[in-house]
Amino acid sequence: MSTDKYWKQVNRTLLVKSLAELCYEQALIAKDEGAGRYSVTLKSGVIYSFKGQLTVWDWLLIDAQTIERQFEGQALPADDAAQFFIDASEDLEATSSTLGNLLHELANTLVADVVLLQKREGLDAQALATLPDEQLQCLLDGHPKAMVNKGRIGWGAQEFNAYGTEAAQGVRLLWLAVRRDLAVSGNSEQWDWPQLLAESLDEAQLQQLDRACREKGVSWQEFLPLPVHPWQWQHHIRQHYAQQIFRGDLVLLGEFGDSYLPQVSLRTLSNLERPRALHVKLPLTVLNTSCYRGIPGKFMRCGPALSEWMQSLCDRDEQLQLRGTGILQEVAGLHVPHSHQESVEGTPYRYRELLGATWRQSPAGLCAEGERHLLMAALLQKDAGGKSVAAALIEASGLSVEAWLTHLFDATVVPLYHLLSRYGIGLVAHSQNLTLVLRDNKVVRVLLKDFQGDLRLAQGEFPDRADLPESAAQVLDQLPANYIIHDLFTGHFVTVLRYLSAQLMTEIGLGELEFYGVLAKVLRRYQKSAQQDNADMTERFQQFNLFRPHIERVCINRVRLRQGYDDSAERPVPIVGGDLTNPLWLAEQESQQNQPETASALEA
């Protein structure tokens, strides 16, 4: 394929994605012209027309090969994503400044997408499905919901080629020594700081580090070790923390240790040389998928205790134990506040998240013999022919699609719903926060991660979480039940299952309501079991009702368009649009119509 064809293909793909998401978020309106054709008329006078199919989520599946741009009586194939945003800017209420910055993010995303197309060439879905998780993450398209998901404002071509996920290049970390009284830190009793160093450095490298410490007068009784991404050091830490560096409170020791591979989340790094070693999550002050990718300091002290407590729930709770649910524990965290920025009320949040690290368990270290791990985001990845990794795994498993999905839902959705209903714990479980464990190509359990801002608590009395560590209770957000349920509805159903159900409908003809009918049966079976164990769960299932007829439509892309790119003291907050008809409710309604004598296992 010529480079021009690559460029047109990624433009057309991103244009289709953006048009579909903006219509879903009700920023644009698609008119049904009949015979499966739709049109979007913009205030600029431009019309985009295409063939498409409206899904159960009120979201359009657009045939990319049919999209046309009509203007002043001329219709041409549409393959310029930037032109689309220019055409739609008035409808999107985007200022010139917002549009200019959006086009910057768009250009970065398109260039990265071309690289991914080239790297996946020759790899069909079966080949992708057999790759090790860490390698496959470097080939994934990324967030399906965020329009410009590789914006990375702050990086140029050199950084993309050296540190971008799709570059798949090993990164060696710089190590700092931080005076203990400057740092906010926490670590599990099972992990002390020498052990954390040994996860990244072999014996010879540890000796080199010790020599550097002696030369620079660093004693680990007074200092703590802190890895830093080389780009973050060069572009932010040397300047922002110059006072601490000149005073000798922050000491650069040098580059040491193993090479690390950037994962799909960009700032999480896996050990290239020792896959079972701890992952390291480092701040990168680049704007990517709606916010700057820093690390908030408020979770550092409680992270290890919260992780341990979550794992204790998995170990002692019968429903979680039955499903083998596990936690990728954050075993240590360290944050260095910026003394001056912290004293400025309302300072941009990115200045509060510049320097720190989180150490987290590797899924490779938690897999038994015969098991392998896979980021849930990988299920959605398609090859050049449009076949997905999910379809390849279903074929390889030898199971029917319904049986395979039953395993998937029981291993993933049920634990998330159980944590919500019994403990009032909401996890924003998008596809990059869920690691699937597979055996014989079927999903047998899930590993949960990323509790820094993606774990919230429901308000109210939940006796079963009474032993939540106080350090965590003080910093975790508490929200009403009707808000927290969206961590599952929007965070998982809309952000993951919406795409998976559409993909399987397109590929293998599985009806969307059949897909959600399987999910409904799995959830009803779980509810019946949980009620037998605990009568109080009936009231909880009414409080967190997944089967209500309508759910709120939560919009993320409109946030950036409305807020623009100005600095803010807090991370962006989603916007709520018009209601959606709940596919779970629809699936049960259809089932009851087909079998009127069968009553629901539990009244919604």
Side-chain angles (χ1 to χ4, degrees):
M1 185 185 290
S2 71
T3 53
D4 182 52
K5 285 186 178 179
Y6 279 128
W7 182 249
K8 287 183 177 179
Q9 182 175 335
V10 297
N11 266 271
R12 192 179 298 116
T13 300
L14 199 148
L15 193 164
V16 162
K17 172 185 178 180
S18 301
L19 190 54
E21 289 302 316
L22 290 168
C23 288
Y24 169 78
E25 294 191 7
Q26 300 178 318
L28 300 176
I29 297 173
K31 180 182 177 183
D32 187 348
E33 303 286 2
R37 196 149 192 102
Y38 292 82
S39 65
V40 175
T41 302
L42 304 172
K43 293 178 181 179
S44 60
V46 177
I47 300 172
Y48 283 85
S49 68
F50 48 86
K51 286 184 178 179
Q53 179 179 358
L54 194 63
T55 71
V56 71
W57 286 104
D58 191 32
W59 169 61
L60 281 164
L61 283 179
I62 298 173
D63 182 347
Q65 302 306 314
T66 66
I67 189 165
E68 291 183 338
R69 180 181 184 267
Q70 301 171 14
F71 186 58
E72 296 181 344
Q74 186 178 30
L76 295 171
D79 53 18
D80 188 337
Q83 184 61 53
F84 162 71
F85 282 105
I86 294 169
D87 293 339
S89 60
E90 188 176 353
D91 303 80
L92 302 177
E93 300 179 349
T95 66
S96 297
S97 174
T98 297
L99 180 60
N101 281 287
L102 180 66
L103 295 181
H104 183 174
E105 283 200 275
L106 174 70
N108 286 348
T109 299
L110 291 171
V111 169
D113 284 342
V114 168
V115 172
L116 286 169
L117 269 187
Q118 293 171 325
K119 291 204 165 191
R120 288 200 302 264
E121 199 164 42
L123 290 171
D124 61 17
Q126 287 85 354
L128 291 170
T130 59
L131 288 175
D133 182 27
E134 295 83 1
Q135 291 182 32
L136 182 54
Q137 286 195 42
C138 296
L139 296 172
L140 300 182
D141 287 326
H143 274 298
K145 191 163 67 169
M147 296 185 299
V148 285
N149 61 11
K150 304 174 193 70
R152 302 174 196 169
I153 289 182
W155 276 11
Q158 184 175 350
E159 287 85 0
F160 268 78
N161 294 335
Y163 308 126
T165 304
E166 59 282 340
Q169 296 295 313
V171 179
R172 293 191 75 201
L173 307 180
L174 298 175
W175 287 86
L176 311 182
V178 182
R179 199 171 293 280
R180 285 176 179 257
D181 57 6
L182 290 184
V184 177
S185 65
N187 59 296
S188 164
E189 291 182 1
Q190 284 74 44
W191 288 88
D192 59 24
W193 299 103
Q195 286 175 295
L196 293 169
L197 271 173
E199 285 290 287
S200 299
L201 285 72
D202 62 25
E203 191 60 39
Q205 293 160 346
L206 284 169
Q207 291 176 7
Q208 292 175 17
L209 182 66
D210 284 341
R211 283 196 294 272
C213 288
R214 287 195 298 271
E215 290 170 5
K216 300 190 178 191
V218 169
S219 164
W220 293 127
Q221 280 71 46
E222 298 175 1
F223 287 81
L224 290 173
L226 175 62
V228 63
H229 194 287
W231 182 86
Q232 188 76 355
W233 167 260
Q234 187 68 29
H235 289 266
H236 290 282
I237 306 309
R238 284 179 62 181
Q239 294 81 9
H240 287 289
Y241 288 83
Q243 178 171 297
Q244 290 86 346
I245 293 168
F246 285 123
R247 286 179 176 174
D249 295 330
L250 194 64
V251 181
L252 176 64
L253 299 173
E255 182 182 275
F256 296 94
D258 298 338
S259 291
Y260 280 80
L261 188 66
Q263 299 295 272
V264 71
S265 64
L266 203 65
R267 58 184 167 164
T268 297
L269 308 170
S270 62
N271 194 309
L272 254 178
E273 291 151 50
R274 293 179 281 173
R276 299 173 70 89
L278 296 176
H279 289 185
V280 181
K281 183 176 178 179
L282 300 175
L284 286 170
T285 309
V286 294
L287 185 69
N288 197 52
T289 57
S290 82
C291 66
Y292 286 95
R293 313 314 294 179
I295 295 183
K298 68 179 184 178
F299 299 107
M300 290 301 103
R301 284 199 176 96
C302 75
L306 177 58
S307 289
E308 288 178 348
W309 182 76
M310 288 288 291
Q311 183 60 55
S312 77
L313 293 188
C314 296
D315 293 339
R316 74 191 191 217
D317 183 287
E318 289 184 10
Q319 295 289 345
L320 300 176
Q321 203 176 45
L322 178 67
R323 291 166 176 84
T325 308
I327 303 296
L328 292 175
Q329 294 186 52
E330 297 169 7
V331 302
L334 197 160
H335 173 69
V336 184
H338 190 284
S339 56
H340 292 136
Q341 293 285 357
E342 289 291 331
S343 68
V344 179
E345 185 176 352
T347 194
Y349 69 86
R350 59 191 171 108
Y351 294 131
R352 296 179 181 268
E353 304 179 3
L354 289 168
L355 183 56
T358 298
W359 287 263
R360 184 166 62 208
Q361 287 178 314
S362 163
L366 300 180
C367 287
E369 188 174 349
E371 293 181 338
R372 65 188 181 103
H373 59 92
L374 187 71
L375 201 65
M376 192 167 188
L379 296 182
L380 303 174
Q381 186 58 54
K382 295 181 287 187
D383 63 18
K387 184 172 182 177
S388 68
V389 168
L393 289 171
I394 292 169
E395 281 183 12
S397 73
L399 299 173
S400 68
V401 63
E402 291 83 1
W404 194 90
L405 287 173
T406 297
H407 284 286
L408 173 70
F409 295 148
D410 195 58
T412 56
V413 181
V414 168
L416 294 170
Y417 189 41
H418 183 68
L419 285 167
L420 182 64
S421 302
R422 180 164 183 180
Y423 301 98
I425 295 172
L427 293 173
V428 184
H430 56 71
S431 58
Q432 295 182 12
N433 279 353
L434 299 176
T435 297
L436 308 176
V437 178
L438 293 89
R439 184 183 290 274
D440 299 326
N441 297 298
K442 72 178 181 182
V443 180
V444 293
R445 55 197 175 93
V446 71
L447 302 173
L448 308 174
K449 69 174 183 181
D450 218 355
F451 307 139
Q452 298 180 11
D454 281 351
L455 186 154
R456 288 105 62 89
L457 303 176
Q459 293 172 351
E461 294 296 321
F462 291 87
D464 292 321
R465 74 171 191 221
D467 59 341
L468 174 72
E470 182 60 26
S471 60
Q474 289 176 356
V475 299
L476 291 174
D477 292 334
Q478 295 203 26
L479 298 170
N482 61 315
Y483 283 82
I484 213 80
I485 197 171
H486 276 282
D487 289 355
L488 185 51
F489 262 142
T490 300
H492 189 67
F493 289 9
V494 173
T495 307
V496 184
L497 300 186
R498 169 166 58 121
Y499 302 101
L500 182 59
S501 61
Q503 182 63 29
L504 293 180
M505 176 179 67
T506 303
E507 279 190 77
I508 60 178
L510 179 72
E512 287 182 287
L513 292 185
E514 291 180 80
F515 179 98
Y516 293 103
V518 175
L519 176 56
K521 288 176 184 176
V522 169
L523 286 168
R524 292 302 194 189
R525 186 168 63 240
Y526 152 69
Q527 287 181 329
K528 185 176 180 180
S529 169
Q531 286 172 302
Q532 290 172 347
D533 295 339
N534 186 343
D536 292 342
M537 292 299 285
T538 301
E539 184 179 339
R540 296 283 178 78
F541 293 144
Q542 293 169 350
Q543 184 181 8
F544 300 103
N545 184 6
L546 290 183
F547 292 88
R548 54 185 167 131
H550 297 97
I551 59 176
E552 297 80 11
R553 186 186 317 239
V554 178
C555 311
I556 65 161
N557 292 293
R558 283 172 59 190
V559 177
R560 176 57 63 200
L561 295 166
R562 175 182 291 184
Q563 181 171 315
Y565 288 77
D566 291 340
D567 277 327
S568 60
E570 302 292 338
R571 291 171 181 248
V573 177
I575 294 169
V576 176
D579 284 354
L580 292 163
T581 302
N582 183 359
L584 275 178
W585 178 81
L586 281 174
E588 285 208 328
Q589 291 295 110
E590 182 177 84
S591 176
Q592 290 168 11
Q593 288 172 5
N594 293 338
Q595 301 179 26
E597 72 282 359
T598 302
S600 295
L602 179 75
E603 290 297 321

